[in-house]
Amino acid sequence: MCGIVGAIAERNVSAILIEGLKRLEYRGYDSAGVAIYSQDGGLRRSRRIGKVAALEQALAEEPLAGRLGIAHTRWATHGVPSEANAHPHFSGSDLAVVHNGIIENHEQLREQLKALGYVFSSETDTETIVHLLHHKLQGLPELADALKAAVKELHGAYGLAVISAAQPDRILAARSGSPLVIGLGLGENFLASDPLALRQVTDRFVYLEEGDIAEIRQASLQIWDAEGRSVQRETVQFHEGAEAAEKGEYRHFMLKEIHEQPKVVQRTLEGRLGSDHALVQAFGPQAAELFARVRNVQIVACGTSYHAGMVARYWLEELTGIPCQVEVASEFRYRKVAVQPDSLFVTISQSGETADTLAALRNAKSAGYLASLAICNVGTSSLVRESDLTLLTQAGPEIGVASTKAFTTQLVGLLLLTLSLGRVRGTLATDVEAKLVEALRHLPGNLEEALAMDKTVERISVLFADKHHTLFLGRGAQYPVAMEGALKLKEISYIHAEAYPAGELKHGPLALVDSNMPVVTVAPNNELLEKLKSNLQEVRARGGELIVFADRTAAMDNGPGVHVVNMPPIHDLLAPILYTIPLQLLSYHVAVLKGTDVDQPRNLAKSVTVE
Ligand code: HGA
């Protein structure tokens, strides 16, 4: 995802903009640019493909200095990565725009603006915004008024910033579906798509809300809401410890990262949802064309990412009808694979450097797949660089070795892939899609509710502290969630944990069940619930102790040896994401009770760059 930085000050803002862009580099991008206004030189820009360092070098050779500027790192959705497509985009020589997101009606706007005489110099959707704004300025000379009129005609998602040589005392910003935050300084103000970009210049922030338009001047800030009413938004003071590389108020990175999930899931969705559908272009400029040809999906990953892939298989086959296979990379890479025609090869990795996954991708290149797609958290990684399409999860740096927020954001990315494939292939009913998109918008709130169960889960964790073996059960898409729950417990508490599809219990593992082997079950209220309840009876009949995470509407009762934890109701397809949270918390609390090294468990490494 791209990044935006803007600044208006008494001093030269060039270095502030570049530093801001560098701080956003981790989000992934393919090109970078800056536009600066100076009284003698007017509005000028510099743009480069590749790293921010290349832009910095260009500015060292040919400096741009001024007290007003906007800058951008681009991750192409419309038009290839090139200098001409890099932001800022200009209309004439007086107006510049940077934009994160996707303008869905760009083709229609482009035709209208061309008919009005505008000449386009890029292939981007973004360029339509700047010409449209220029056009509006003819009748509404105040930048804020023109922007209010222009955004009414934009469909899709945007976080954008505008500067004009005609009104060089202000930056205008607008947000709809893509985040923006204003940084408050003393006699200077800033703007960014992420506060991280501005931490070197301020610790006071004002978050724009959906539909907001802001006029940022050196010593003032004015905000209008979607209805055009002047509004005040709260100022948030950041404290030391809010940074990713610090634990802040949390005892461990893992706990901090578990609690970050509502925020990072929100971030992963931002700019990728239209009013009632997922935006296919979020996967890159060629996504729509390639997705239209997909008839099979092969997912390859390791560890936690493999579990995410297994959940995705249920989603893909149910919602798109496209057959999907999932395999661990260390196996896949060494066997002779029969490739189905028109197969999309999907890899999933937090770091994008996982050796087995990377090797599988490299082998796949010559195996006849239609295209490769990476779901990854690191934009600069090998996996991203070597894949045809990418969806970057926006989990931010994950420090705890046991993956938590990377997993849930991978699931969100895979659901967006499912929706996009279903949409392009015409296999997804529009009402199903709209309901799911609506449910996705509520997901961060649902995750908050699940996190509020922390104390209850902590109490339950006592049941595990002296145990050596546990069983995790689930059915359907909750089976891989049970696998992930078991993996978490193994990783950080060193308790042997195994996951089974609940229906398999009677085919073997039931022999192990006794009072020393707690059985953990995830039980959303779906059509498999009654079957699952029977499986639980099988456990109780053998004296096994049950811990059941159940939808509170499922009316499951506590009883001797049965501990029911009530979960908030949720759209069934999102249940795997929600039910992951208490299982993460459970492993965490068990590990704390056992006194293990939660963030750096023995024998494990964060990014597995060896075979
Ligand atoms: N659609 C714009 C901006 C892309 C973006 O936000 N990427 O994350 C473009 O393609 O330039």
Side-chain angles (χ1 to χ4, degrees), residues 1-2 74-78 85 87 99-102 124-126:
M1 288 289 278
C2 351
R74 172 174 192 248
W75 187 80
T77 66
H78 293 64
N85 286 335
H87 303 205
H99 159 231
N100 287 353
I102 290 168
T124 62
D125 52 338
T126 302

Side-chain angles (χ1 to χ4, degrees), residues 245-471:
E246 294 174 34
K247 290 197 277 265
E249 68 192 87
Y250 295 100
R251 187 165 161 197
H252 295 99
F253 280 111
M254 183 183 176
L255 188 61
K256 176 177 179 240
E257 289 159 4
I258 289 173
H259 281 273
E260 279 173 354
Q261 289 175 110
K263 186 177 77 190
V264 296
V265 160
Q266 174 72 39
R267 210 187 273 166
T268 304
L269 289 170
E270 264 156 6
R272 290 166 171 169
L273 293 179
S275 54
D276 56 4
H277 58 279
L279 301 176
V280 180
Q281 299 279 4
F283 290 86
Q286 325 100 297
E289 187 212 319
L290 281 171
F291 286 179
R293 293 161 58 196
V294 172
R295 285 201 284 142
N296 287 283
V297 173
Q298 171 71 61
I299 299 179
V300 170
C302 304
T304 290
S305 303
Y306 168 67
H307 297 151
M310 284 193 64
V311 174
R313 178 174 163 215
Y314 287 89
W315 288 336
L316 278 161
E317 297 207 347
E318 177 172 343
L319 292 179
T320 72
I322 299 172
C324 173
Q325 299 185 61
V326 191
E327 190 163 344
V328 285
S330 53
E331 283 300 312
F332 184 89
R333 64 180 288 195
Y334 288 119
R335 72 184 185 86
K336 181 94 189 74
V337 177
V339 180
Q340 301 280 351
D342 300 317
S343 283
L344 180 67
F345 187 79
V346 178
T347 54
I348 312 168
S349 162
Q350 189 284 127
S351 67
E353 303 296 345
T354 315
D356 285 319
T357 310
L358 204 49
L361 170 66
R362 288 175 181 158
N363 293 349
K365 295 240 154 177
S366 53
Y369 286 95
L370 176 66
S372 56
L373 185 156
I375 307 260
C376 185
N377 197 33
V378 181
T380 48
S381 63
S382 310
L383 203 65
V384 167
R385 280 185 276 115
E386 296 180 29
S387 297
D388 302 316
L389 303 173
T390 310
L391 187 98
L392 292 178
T393 52
Q394 297 296 338
E398 191 178 61
I399 313 286
V401 166
S403 189
T404 53
K405 59 178 181 169
F407 178 67
T408 42
T409 52
Q410 283 168 352
L411 288 177
V412 169
L414 288 160
L415 196 49
L416 292 174
L417 173 64
T418 306
L419 290 172
S420 299
L421 277 169
R423 183 172 183 78
V424 171
R425 308 261 321 145
T427 47
L428 183 60
T430 46
D431 58 329
V432 175
E433 184 181 19
K435 271 202 190 106
L436 203 42
V437 167
E438 185 56 26
L440 269 171
R441 289 191 205 287
H442 291 113
L443 181 59
N446 301 135
L447 298 183
E448 291 286 4
E449 277 185 80
L451 287 168
M453 296 163 23
D454 189 36
K455 284 278 166 261
T456 312
V457 177
E458 188 177 1
R459 276 196 296 278
I460 299 257
S461 66
V462 177
L463 298 171
F464 293 76
D466 61 342
K467 301 292 190 298
H468 300 290
H469 307 277
T470 63
L471 211 50

